[in-house]
Amino acid sequence: MSADGGDVGPDLRLVGFAVAAWLAALAGLHLPVRSTAGLAAVAAALALVAGLRLRRGRSVGPVGRYGWAAVAVLLGTLCGAAATGARVVVRDAPTVRALVTERALVTADLVVRDDPRPVRGAPGRPATLLVRADLVRLTGPDGGQVTGPVRGLVLATDPGWRGLLPGQRVTTGGRLAAPRGGDLTAAVLSATGPPTRHGAASWPQRAAGVLRSGLQRACEPLPDAPGGLLPGLVVGDTSRLPPEVEEDFRATGMTHLNAVSGSNVAIIVGAVLLLARWARAGPRTAVALCGLALVGFVILVRPSPSVVRAAAMGAIGLTALAAGRSRAALPALAAAVAGLVLLDPDLAGDPGFALSVCATGGLLLLAPGWRDALRRRGVPPGLAEALAVPAAAQLACGPVIAALSATVSLVAVPANLLVVPAVAPATVLGVLAAVLSPVWPAGAEFLAWLASWPARWLVAVAAHGAGLPAGNLPWPGGVAGGLLLAAVSVALLLAVRRRRARRLVAVVVVAVVLGALPIRLLASGWPPRDWVVVACAVGQGDAVVLPVAAGRVVVVDAGPEPSGVDACLRRLRVREVSLLVVSHFHADHVGGVAGVFRGRRVGAVVGPPWSEPPYGVAQVREAAGRGGAPLAPAPAGWRWRSGAVELVAVGPPYPLRGSRSDPNNNSLVLTATVAGVRILLAGDAETEEQRALLETVPAGAFRADVLKVAHHGSAYQDPDFLATVRPAVALVCVGVDNDYGHPHAGLLGRLGRGGARVMRTDTDGDVAVVRAGVGLAVVARGAERGRSR
């Protein structure tokens, strides 16, 4: 046996305790307090009985080891349940719950816990900021006070919230609401005005604020993509990160690079360790320098719970690397997991925590063996390390990612492998730019420019990886899907230990991948050949694309946010938009208009004569003006033709007022003819506009092969109108699990009974209608969990 235990299996003594504490804490976040207390009591009783029996029997050998392992699991369950139950009791205090139930207007004294961050809201409205805080005191409308602290979320639109730093005490007024559950948040406070500040933040937080803003200033001269990525890569500040880059990183399994993780900590402290060794510093000096670097980095990126978690995980991996004692690292990881979960049970339900733990575990358990195996087969040491690390991390994180996204990425491992050489230089140069920014801004800009080149490589890899067809295969989601992939991964790891099994596994994997890949990957990819219309999966909104020529299209509506429609157009390889049509100005149709203009020339923009609601009109005018294509009206009878597409506006035949929704019932209703296929694009026309069309327009004018169903498949549809259209294919643009009950089951049944093939973007993803001989066929790209809704 080697001195460091290299020939002995991993030390699992604390793993059972840590996993049990984690799972018990997770259960406690979702169970009633009584159930959590019962779980703790049962675990305590069983641990006591088992411990006494083991001591009396003086069990040795495997029986004793398994017995004490069971006791450790029971003790972990006891600790996790007890720690979480104590916090849940505070969260569910009757006095706070009463105010939340009443949706009371309160005055709140609170302490900010993390940086305010913007959340996406309705386009054209003021940006909403989400602020995590401890609610120290709540004063109700009757003057009664409730003292905490309890955790809360503040939703604010006043710009006065933007400059707050963690640790600051403020007072504000607002209305309470119930949280979503599943964590320790006791209330959501919708602030009605600016906060009243009480003193300044602590000096570490102020110092971090100076350095973070300095890094942002140093990145301002850079292009949007690398300039927005670099602060996210270095300090987790993604406020300038373009949405399309964020989407690309998510599609290629590189999202962990957008936030501070254990790898960031390991890179910074590892660089200090290498410098210390190069300077021939002693072990104690090297450890002291690494500790200072770790503390300084945590201050820079803000000592929030996620950053403390990342620091703990990164320090564990670095300690194992520096000490050369891999057996000691796994107990340290288990101890860190247990300690963090018991100190903050909220981490038990945090996907970032799970990914950090899994990635660190993979680096400790799998990467060293794989690296050594590659080196024995003649792979150079540096290359072996570069191959083993991302593969081990991705394999370990795969079950969690599958559970969250219901997909298995085929491009994550090669993408992460390709970016390995660029992550460390970008991170180190970015940190140096932040540190230098207060004293030498020009030098900081130069370092940020240097760091932008590896950042550009990251952006390029993500963009090309996201553009590959079928880069993500569908997989069962939720706990069942995660456990299934974990079981498959473990089975593969065990099987590849034997030569024959390795060959069999290789054959099976190739067969499964080729079988699971859509046929279009082997043929023409996405989009399919001869497509005439594509309904984009953009969440709860509309975006429809018609092909004019290769790389040129007509876009009808833009969905609720820019990233959705932009991603769909990139998947379709669109370089130019000949015409952008806005059916009406509701946010779910115009919120993403800026995404249509991203990197593309737009020839013209038209919309309905009905200019409501005003914020939607203003948003389209602004985007169209910036793109050099002013907004023009398209009244009934308007015609447009280019390439393979001909459009005619058939409705509204006259302005409708006093209806259920005037903007909906004054939607542009278009007939499109694409390569001989007739398509009816009904916008959000409801019963009133549909009846007006029946009364004033000849029935043959809106008879169609393909119907873009109005208003996301709502119940407000006229049966005679649908019978007149009589489509062969019905496309429903709708968001996953939306709050409106769309699409209506009765409508879907009516369309099906009328002979239509019904396709939905919430379940089918992007949907293309293609010409197949003398008929039509549909091709679905496949739904992706986690898209905007």
Side-chain angles (χ1 to χ4, degrees):
M1 184 179 71
S2 62
D4 65 349
D7 297 331
V8 180
D11 188 343
L12 303 176
R13 286 175 294 179
L14 289 178
V15 171
F17 178 87
V19 172
W22 187 356
L23 295 179
L26 181 61
L29 293 175
H30 296 272
L31 294 175
V33 176
R34 290 184 178 180
S35 300
T36 305
L39 177 63
V42 170
L46 292 177
L48 179 61
V49 171
L52 290 175
R53 287 189 175 181
L54 287 170
R55 286 189 63 83
R56 289 173 184 173
R58 301 180 184 276
S59 298
V60 295
V63 175
R65 288 197 297 272
Y66 292 140
W68 287 113
V71 171
V73 170
L74 292 170
L75 290 175
T77 304
L78 167 63
C79 294
T84 309
R87 302 293 185 89
V88 171
V89 167
V90 176
R91 180 196 70 183
D92 296 339
T95 51
V96 177
R97 185 172 286 273
L99 292 174
V100 170
T101 302
E102 295 171 3
R103 295 180 60 84
L105 279 169
V106 300
T107 300
D109 297 321
L110 54 90
V111 177
V112 177
R113 300 183 66 240
D114 207 347
D115 290 288
R117 60 182 181 88
V119 293
R120 289 173 182 165
R125 305 283 177 84
T128 299
L129 297 173
L130 185 148
V131 186
R132 300 185 183 276
D134 287 329
L135 306 177
V136 178
R137 183 186 299 110
L138 299 174
T139 304
D142 58 355
Q145 291 188 344
V146 177
T147 57
V150 294
R151 292 190 180 178
L153 290 177
V154 180
L155 299 178
T157 56
D158 192 280
W161 290 87
R162 290 187 177 274
L164 293 180
L165 298 174
Q168 279 192 279
R169 296 179 65 93
V170 301
T171 300
T172 188
R175 187 177 296 277
L176 293 178
R180 64 178 183 180
D183 56 21
L184 295 179
T185 303
V188 176
L189 177 67
S190 296
T192 55
T196 301
R197 308 188 187 196
H198 304 293
S202 62
W203 73 264
Q205 296 291 359
R206 295 199 304 273
V210 170
L211 295 180
R212 290 164 68 92
S213 60
L215 177 60
Q216 282 284 13
R217 287 194 300 272
C219 293
E220 284 179 359
L222 301 175
D224 288 344
L229 174 63
L230 195 58
L233 185 69
V234 175
V235 297
D237 183 358
T238 58
S239 58
R240 277 189 57 202
L241 185 66
E244 63 269 23
V245 177
E246 189 175 0
E247 291 287 338
D248 289 345
F249 272 57
R250 183 179 297 112
T252 51
M254 294 164 56
T255 307
H256 60 281
L257 298 176
N258 294 346
V260 177
S261 66
S263 61
N264 298 74
V265 177
I267 287 170
I268 297 302
V269 184
V272 174
L273 180 62
L274 289 175
L275 288 174
R277 288 182 173 176
W278 175 77
R280 298 183 179 180
R284 293 184 179 180
T285 303
V287 169
L289 291 174
C290 290
L292 290 174
L294 180 61
V295 172
F297 185 69
V298 169
I299 291 175
L300 172 63
V301 299
R302 300 283 167 79
S304 62
S306 60
V307 173
V308 173
R309 175 200 73 212
M313 298 304 158
I316 289 167
L318 186 65
T319 300
L321 178 64
R325 299 184 61 186
S326 58
R327 294 195 77 237
L330 193 58
L333 172 62
V337 169
L340 290 170
V341 166
L342 297 181
L343 286 173
D344 185 5
D346 246 356
L347 290 174
D350 183 3
F353 178 73
L355 290 171
S356 289
V357 173
C358 290
T360 307
L363 297 180
L364 296 177
L365 291 174
L366 303 176
W370 293 1
R371 175 199 60 203
D372 296 341
L374 290 172
R375 293 179 65 179
R376 288 194 297 269
R377 287 166 174 76
V379 179
L383 180 59
E385 189 88 28
L387 290 170
V389 167
Q394 186 62 34
L395 181 68
C397 294
V400 178
I401 297 172
L404 295 173
S405 65
T407 59
V408 175
S409 176
L410 298 181
V411 300
V413 171
N416 280 277
L417 175 62
L418 288 171
V419 301
V420 164
V423 174
T427 302
V428 173
L429 289 170
V431 169
L432 292 176
V435 172
L436 199 59
S437 61
V439 295
W440 190 17
E445 287 190 11
F446 175 71
L447 290 174
W449 177 79
L450 289 178
S452 73
W453 291 102
R456 292 169 201 256
W457 172 247
L458 298 179
V459 172
V461 171
H464 284 84
L468 292 175
N472 293 293
L473 296 182
W475 188 269
V479 176
L483 293 176
L484 176 61
L485 185 57
V488 171
S489 301
V490 171
L492 289 175
L493 288 174
L494 294 175
V496 297
R497 292 176 178 271
R498 300 179 179 275
R499 180 177 300 178
R500 292 183 179 179
R502 282 199 297 269
R503 294 176 179 173
L504 178 61
V505 167
V507 172
V508 171
V509 167
V510 171
V512 169
V513 169
L514 292 180
L517 283 175
I519 296 301
R520 62 181 181 271
L521 177 61
L522 303 179
S524 60
W526 180 267
R529 293 181 182 275
D530 299 325
W531 64 283
V532 294
V533 59
V534 166
C536 297
V538 293
Q540 182 64 12
D542 273 19
V544 177
V545 186
L546 308 171
V548 174
R552 290 196 295 124
V553 299
V554 171
V555 177
V556 181
D557 290 326
E561 58 182 9
S563 59
V565 66
D566 176 50
C568 181
L569 293 177
R570 284 190 288 116
R571 290 191 291 268
L572 295 172
R573 304 181 184 90
V574 173
R575 298 186 303 274
E576 180 179 339
V577 176
S578 301
L579 177 68
L580 170 61
V581 181
V582 176
S583 68
H584 65 297
F585 296 102
H586 275 158
D588 55 342
H589 292 250
V590 303
V593 66
V596 178
F597 286 84
R598 277 188 190 143
R600 303 176 191 90
R601 179 184 175 276
V602 178
V605 182
V606 298
W610 189 270
S611 298
E612 291 183 9
Y615 67 83
V617 179
Q619 186 173 14
V620 175
R621 287 193 188 281
E622 181 183 0
R626 286 199 308 265
L631 174 64
W638 170 88
R639 291 177 177 271
W640 183 91
R641 183 169 185 172
S642 179
V645 178
E646 181 178 2
L647 295 175
V648 179
V650 296
Y654 51 83
L656 283 89
R657 292 180 173 86
S659 65
R660 182 182 292 107
S661 170
D662 288 350
N664 284 350
N665 282 306
N666 286 277
S667 292
L668 276 181
V669 177
L670 303 173
T671 60
T673 304
V674 182
V677 178
R678 285 181 57 83
I679 304 162
L680 181 65
L681 304 168
D684 272 5
E686 297 181 350
T687 308
E688 294 89 341
E689 185 174 1
Q690 293 176 10
R691 289 174 179 168
L693 287 169
L694 287 174
E695 294 169 357
T696 58
V697 179
F702 48 89
R703 168 77 180 90
D705 305 301
V706 180
L707 170 66
K708 198 292 296 182
V709 178
H711 201 190
H712 322 297
S714 78
Y716 305 125
Q717 314 275 344
D718 186 85
D720 293 337
F721 177 80
L722 296 176
T724 302
V725 179
R726 211 165 62 253
V729 178
L731 303 177
V732 183
C733 299
V734 63
V736 179
D737 297 338
N738 63 85
D739 298 328
Y740 306 97
H742 298 161
H744 189 264
L747 172 69
L748 299 182
R750 183 180 294 114
L751 289 168
R753 290 191 297 273
R757 171 82 181 275
V758 180
M759 303 296 290
R760 303 166 43 174
T761 58
D762 59 339
T763 57
D764 301 312
D766 295 347
V767 178
V769 179
V770 302
R771 287 184 293 109
V774 295
L776 298 177
V778 291
V779 177
R781 184 174 176 270
E784 295 179 16
R785 296 281 292 274
R787 284 180 177 163
S788 61
R789 295 181 179 181

